[in-house]
Amino acid sequence: MGTDSPDEKWSTAEEEIMQATYRTLLESGYVGLTISGIADELGKSNAVLYYHYGSREGLLVAFLDFIADQRKSMIKTESTQDPKADLDCVIEKLLPLQPDADQQQFQEVLVKLRSQGVTNEAVREQFTRIDERIATTIRNIIQRGIDNGTFRDVDSTQVAEHILAMVNGGRYGYVTTDRETTPSAARVSLSSYIDSELRRNT
Amino acid sequence: MGTDSPDEKWSTAEEEIMQATYRTLLESGYVGLTISGIADELGKSNAVLYYHYGSREGLLVAFLDFIADQRKSMIKTESTQDPKADLDCVIEKLLPLQPDADQQQFQEVLVKLRSQGVTNEAVREQFTRIDERIATTIRNIIQRGIDNGTFRDVDSTQVAEHILAMVNGGRYGYVTTDRETTPSAARVSLSSYIDSELRRNT
C-alpha cells in the first residue's frame, strides 16, 4: 500500500490513521487490530480514534472504505483507444503476474479481512462494493471494445463476472496455499480466455 | 456436512470428534474453536481430545485432513464413458448452482478456516492438498475426454487450473459479499467456457 491519497475525500489526518491501521494489521493481524494498538502505531491517544470512528468496528469499516477507494483509483483507467490494453492493465493490477512483496502483503491483509465478511455484515457490504466496482470497470472496458469494434459482441456482464471470479480465485489460491504458480497459471489461462472470447474473427 | 464416513481411515470415535468440531465452528467460529468447547459439544472430557490430538492446533489439522478426505470422496467420480457429464457433476459439487443451507454453511466454515492459511503453515498445507486434489481430479477427467475423443486436445492442466480458480473465486465471492447471483453467474460463464474450450469442432 503506497502513501498516495486514493481519493480527495480523505484528509491527511485520516489517511495517517488508515496507514497506521494497515501497519497494525500487518503486524498483529485481524485479532490484534485494536484501537489502542492503532493509537500506539500512530503515536496518538486512543481518544483521537474514538472521536473519529466511535469504535473498532467503525474504524474497520472506514479502513475498508479507504481500501475500496484506493482500489478504485488503482484500477481507474484512462479511456484509451485500446480497450484490450486497458483490460490487460486492469488485470495486471488485480492479479499481478509476479506479485512483489508489497502486493503480496496487501493481498494477505485483504484475504484476512474479507473472511470476516462471512459473519460481519459491515465488512460484507464493503467487499460487495469492491467487487461491484471491479466488475463494472471491467464490463465498461469490454463494452467500449465492443462499441469501437475491437471486441466481438459478447455478453459484457458475463465476461466481466468470469474475469472477476478468476482474479479472485487466483489471488485467493495464491495467498492461502503453497501452490506458487497459481497467479501465473491463472493469468496465462485468463489471457487465452480473453483472446478466444473477445477476439473478432477477422 | 453429512454424517457419512468420508474415508475408512477415520474411526467412529474420530468421526464423532470431527462432527463436534464442525458444529463448534458453526456455532462459535474459528476464534471460539477451543478444546473445551469441542469437548462440551461432544459431551466428553478435554483429556480425550488432548490424548488424540495433543493441542488445538493438532485437532485443527486433523479436522482439515478430515475435510480434505470428505471432499475427495465427494468429488470422486465413477469413470463413466461420458467425461462431459463427469466434469459437470464435479463442478456442481464444488460450486452448486443453487447452494442449499448446508452447502452454504460448509462454504462459510471453509472460507473462515482457509483465511488462517495466510499465516498458519499447517492450515496452508492442508488447503494446498485440497486444491491439488481438485485440480488433479478435473485434469484427469479432461484427459479422459481427450483420450476417448470427446474433448479437443487442449492443455488439460491449464483448463483444470482455470476451472479451479473460477470455482474458488465464485464460492469466495458468494460467501463474502451480498452479490447473491455470484455462483449462478460463475456457473453460466463456466459452462460456456467449457463448451467453447473443450468442444470438438465437428
Side-chain angles (χ1 to χ4, degrees):
Chain A
M1 200 156 97
T3 50
D4 292 346
S5 171
D7 207 296
E8 281 131 22
K9 85 181 195 203
W10 299 89
S11 72
T12 310
E14 281 172 317
E15 227 183 282
E16 281 172 4
I17 295 170
M18 294 302 120
Q19 298 287 353
T21 305
Y22 184 65
R23 291 193 302 275
T24 309
L25 267 170
L26 284 181
E27 287 156 20
S28 314
Y30 177 77
V31 174
L33 186 73
T34 59
I35 289 279
S36 57
I38 299 165
D40 282 352
E41 183 66 43
L42 194 64
K44 300 213 164 144
S45 73
N46 293 3
V48 172
L49 296 178
Y50 280 113
Y51 172 78
H52 275 285
Y53 305 103
S55 64
R56 173 185 190 265
E57 175 85 6
L59 201 152
L60 182 62
V61 169
F63 179 70
L64 286 169
D65 196 28
F66 180 79
I67 295 276
D69 277 350
Q70 187 172 63
R71 175 135 285 192
K72 181 180 161 197
S73 60
M74 185 180 89
I75 64 169
K76 194 164 68 184
T77 50
E78 306 300 323
S79 284
T80 70
Q81 291 308 305
D82 187 353
K84 178 67 172 62
D86 292 348
L87 191 56
D88 289 345
C89 174
V90 168
I91 290 171
E92 170 59 23
K93 283 173 180 166
L94 292 170
L95 183 70
L97 198 52
Q98 296 182 304
D100 63 26
D102 276 356
Q103 287 168 326
Q104 176 159 358
Q105 232 174 20
F106 181 63
Q107 291 308 332
E108 289 175 357
V109 166
L110 274 194
V111 165
K112 282 281 201 177
L113 286 178
R114 187 166 179 144
S115 74
Q116 302 299 321
V118 171
T119 42
N120 182 321
E121 180 61 34
V123 171
R124 196 157 66 248
E125 272 172 22
Q126 293 288 357
F127 279 100
T128 303
R129 276 182 59 209
I130 290 175
D131 274 12
E132 276 299 337
R133 277 186 183 170
I134 295 174
T136 303
T137 299
I138 296 173
R139 192 171 61 238
N140 289 345
I141 295 174
I142 295 171
Q143 199 54 55
R144 247 183 16 245
I146 295 171
D147 293 345
N148 83 359
T150 308
F151 296 148
R152 289 199 301 130
D153 187 18
V154 295
D155 178 339
S156 58
T157 301
Q158 185 181 310
V159 176
E161 292 296 331
H162 191 108
I163 294 172
L164 175 64
M166 280 289 290
V167 161
N168 277 342
R171 290 192 305 207
Y172 186 44
Y174 175 57
V175 299
T176 58
T177 71
D178 295 317
R179 307 180 80 230
E180 282 165 17
T181 56
T182 300
S184 56
R187 278 293 297 279
V188 168
S189 177
L190 195 47
S191 282
S192 132
Y193 166 76
I194 288 171
D195 199 48
S196 73
E197 193 72 18
L198 297 179
R199 193 185 47 202
R200 287 172 65 87
N201 294 316
T202 48
Chain B
M1 202 155 95
T3 50
D4 291 347
S5 172
D7 206 297
E8 280 132 22
K9 86 181 194 201
W10 299 89
S11 72
T12 310
E14 282 172 317
E15 226 184 283
E16 281 172 4
I17 295 170
M18 295 302 121
Q19 298 288 354
T21 304
Y22 184 66
R23 290 193 303 273
T24 309
L25 268 168
L26 285 182
E27 286 156 20
S28 317
Y30 178 76
V31 174
L33 186 73
T34 59
I35 289 279
S36 57
I38 300 165
D40 282 352
E41 183 66 43
L42 193 63
K44 301 216 162 139
S45 73
N46 293 3
V48 172
L49 297 177
Y50 281 112
Y51 172 79
H52 275 285
Y53 305 103
S55 64
R56 173 184 190 266
E57 176 86 6
L59 200 151
L60 182 62
V61 169
F63 179 69
L64 286 168
D65 196 28
F66 180 78
I67 295 278
D69 278 350
Q70 187 172 64
R71 175 136 286 192
K72 182 180 159 198
S73 59
M74 186 181 88
I75 64 168
K76 194 164 70 183
T77 49
E78 304 301 323
S79 284
T80 69
Q81 292 309 305
D82 186 354
K84 178 66 172 62
D86 292 348
L87 191 56
D88 289 344
C89 174
V90 168
I91 290 171
E92 170 59 24
K93 282 172 181 167
L94 292 170
L95 182 70
L97 198 52
Q98 297 182 304
D100 62 27
D102 276 356
Q103 287 167 327
Q104 175 158 358
Q105 234 174 17
F106 182 63
Q107 292 308 332
E108 289 175 357
V109 165
L110 274 193
V111 165
K112 282 281 198 177
L113 286 177
R114 187 166 178 144
S115 74
Q116 302 298 321
V118 171
T119 42
N120 182 322
E121 180 61 34
V123 171
R124 195 156 67 249
E125 272 173 22
Q126 293 288 357
F127 279 100
T128 303
R129 277 182 60 210
I130 290 175
D131 274 12
E132 276 300 335
R133 277 186 183 170
I134 295 174
T136 303
T137 299
I138 295 174
R139 192 170 62 238
N140 290 345
I141 294 173
I142 295 171
Q143 199 54 55
R144 244 181 21 243
I146 295 170
D147 294 345
N148 83 359
T150 308
F151 296 149
R152 289 199 303 129
D153 187 18
V154 295
D155 179 339
S156 58
T157 301
Q158 185 181 310
V159 176
E161 291 297 331
H162 192 108
I163 294 172
L164 175 63
M166 280 288 291
V167 161
N168 277 341
R171 289 191 304 207
Y172 185 44
Y174 175 57
V175 297
T176 59
T177 71
D178 294 317
R179 306 180 79 231
E180 281 165 18
T181 56
T182 300
S184 55
R187 279 291 299 276
V188 168
S189 178
L190 195 48
S191 282
S192 131
Y193 166 76
I194 288 171
D195 199 50
S196 73
E197 193 72 19
L198 298 178
R199 192 186 45 203
R200 288 172 66 87
N201 294 317
T202 46

